[in-house]
Amino acid sequence: MSVIIDITGLAADGGASGSGAAERWGRVSVVPSPLAELGMALHALSEPGHHPRLQGWATAVSTRLDPGLADRLCEADFLWRMTFSDVFAPFAGIPGGRELPGATLAEELDQLDKLTDEQFVHAALEFTCQLRYDVADPGPLDDPGLRRRSLELAAARGGAQERFTRRLLEDPPAIRAWFRQLMLDCDEAFFADTWARIQPQLAAEARHKSELLRRKGLGETLASLSGAISLDEEAALITVDKLLVGRTATGDGGLVLVPTSLGWPHVMVLHRYGWQPSITYPVSDSRPQTPSVEQLTRRMEALAHPVRMRLCRHLARAPHTTSELADAHGMSAPEISRHLAVLKKAGLITSGRRGRYVRHQLDLSAVARLGSDFIEGVLR
């Protein structure tokens, strides 16, 4: 499972390629987004369990948050708690596919005002409406049946969602103005201070990645963002390893890479139909890369077998040869070898030769990280 971005147009515009040649990707931009980062901040406040490293910040902000503002945030927290609504990336919806995030929160809120009512409603109802995301689809403003269905789905999620959906469908401009004021009030209450602290880091990240793009090309740049992102240059396809399936294309537009300081471990791909593709990625840190979804699945399947679980018990205590494990478990050496091969392919054991013997041992660090790897994988 993955999200695919077809960059045929970008690749065609690229400069020379090959050994020692710098590739130029003029329509790929690395740009921080204050509005997207505010969305990340709101998500971290509403889901602190997703962001353990931000719990101190979240606690400090929550304790001093005005009760009235906190109540207003609860009215629409599903826009950032259960999903990352594309209302936080309005630049991507502006026709032409060449717009970039604004330098300030006010500029990006001005971009939000440039979206049509249909675009705004589609993006705001992503949490409940279940509209097709990456294909053209009618909207609830024009389709009475879809309007009723949207209200039914919202009601199933709770009273707050139903009230918000009803207000949104009845008067999109009023909800857009309400959302704009809410973001400005959050900026005044806590985000301006947070942005002042993290903006220099994000600006430095953008400069570094832009230089890497100029010198090394798109493939190395994407690889440096996350181990979940890869480029098939020959096929002109970017693949982002996620627990969902989606597809989009840059066409005549561009590709925007948005670094986030508050968003780890989320790697998000905006692939809404008709919108400019973008990838939001966490700035690099010293943590090991999360394994791919395929590798996580392989590890969990490997540990689901009772024989392999018993082998892990032996291998966690000390290195053992295949013959030793066969004797201990009353099995043949070929049977043990097959189980060891599964564990090794999953990256859960290491093997090393000592004299005439090959000894196997459980990789305790890989097993210890399996729980957090799984969480990071499903949150990615």
Side-chain angles (χ1 to χ4, degrees), residues 28-33 199-214 221 225 257-260 281 283:
V28 179
S29 305
V30 189
V31 186
S33 165
Q199 190 274 336
Q201 176 198 25
L202 294 177
E205 167 73 11
R207 289 192 299 270
H208 171 68
K209 290 298 189 288
S210 297
E211 179 63 16
L212 182 63
L213 179 67
R214 186 189 69 81
T221 302
L225 306 185
L257 309 177
V258 181
T260 170
Y281 69 95
V283 293

Side-chain angles (χ1 to χ4, degrees), residues 277-347:
S278 71
I279 300 174
T280 300
Y281 69 95
V283 293
S284 60
D285 59 22
S286 59
R287 294 179 63 89
Q289 290 285 1
T290 304
S292 67
V293 171
E294 180 183 2
Q295 182 76 337
L296 283 171
T297 303
R298 191 180 295 130
R299 288 182 176 181
M300 296 172 74
E301 288 175 346
L303 292 174
H305 197 286
V307 171
R308 291 194 283 272
M309 283 289 288
R310 292 197 297 271
L311 288 175
C312 286
R313 182 173 184 271
H314 271 83
L315 298 175
R317 298 179 175 184
H320 288 79
T321 66
T322 302
S323 296
E324 289 173 331
L325 292 170
D327 290 340
H329 291 271
M331 300 172 65
S332 69
E335 287 178 308
I336 293 294
S337 294
R338 284 194 291 272
H339 286 297
L340 291 175
V342 173
L343 292 169
K344 191 166 187 177
K345 188 175 182 180

Side-chain angles (χ1 to χ4, degrees), residues 3 13 21 39 76 104 127 136 167 175 195 240 254 261 267 302 339 349 368:
V3 179
D13 286 352
T104 66
F127 71 94
R167 290 167 56 205
I175 292 297
W195 181 249
V240 184
S261 177
V267 176
H339 286 297
I349 66 171

Side-chain angles (χ1 to χ4, degrees), residues 51-222:
H51 304 271
R53 293 181 296 175
L54 296 177
Q55 285 186 352
W57 171 86
T59 300
V61 170
S62 298
T63 53
R64 67 172 187 266
L65 201 62
D66 176 77
L69 178 57
D71 289 342
R72 287 162 60 207
L73 288 173
C74 290
E75 292 181 45
D77 72 344
F78 34 80
L79 293 176
W80 52 80
R81 178 191 291 269
M82 297 184 293
T83 185
F84 292 96
S85 171
D86 290 339
V87 298
F88 290 101
F91 71 91
I94 297 175
R98 302 289 184 96
E99 197 80 10
L100 299 177
T104 66
L105 181 63
E107 288 179 21
E108 293 201 274
L109 291 173
D110 288 343
Q111 291 175 329
L112 185 68
D113 289 338
K114 295 179 181 179
L115 300 182
T116 65
D117 284 347
E118 289 76 11
Q119 286 180 304
F120 180 74
V121 169
H122 263 253
L125 285 184
E126 180 183 337
F127 71 94
T128 187
C129 196
Q130 295 184 2
L131 299 172
R132 293 293 301 277
Y133 186 83
D134 52 1
V135 298
D137 229 5
L141 291 182
D142 301 319
D143 186 327
L146 190 55
R147 184 188 187 96
R148 288 192 298 273
R149 179 61 176 156
S150 299
L151 289 169
E152 289 171 1
L153 289 169
R157 294 288 184 91
Q161 287 93 325
E162 182 183 17
R163 289 189 294 273
F164 179 87
T165 301
R166 193 174 298 279
R167 290 167 56 205
L168 177 64
L169 293 174
E170 290 174 352
D171 194 350
I175 292 297
R176 197 186 320 219
W178 176 86
F179 178 80
R180 180 190 181 104
Q181 189 58 54
L182 181 63
M183 296 301 101
L184 291 173
D185 290 345
C186 287
D187 188 49
E188 182 179 357
F190 66 89
F191 184 68
D193 291 339
T194 300
W195 181 249
R197 175 174 56 82
I198 64 178
Q199 190 274 336
Q201 176 198 25
L202 294 177
E205 167 73 11
R207 289 192 299 270
H208 171 68
K209 290 298 189 288
S210 297
E211 179 63 16
L212 182 63
L213 179 67
R214 186 189 69 81
R215 291 188 296 106
K216 299 292 187 179
L218 185 59
E220 288 201 31
T221 302
L222 293 174

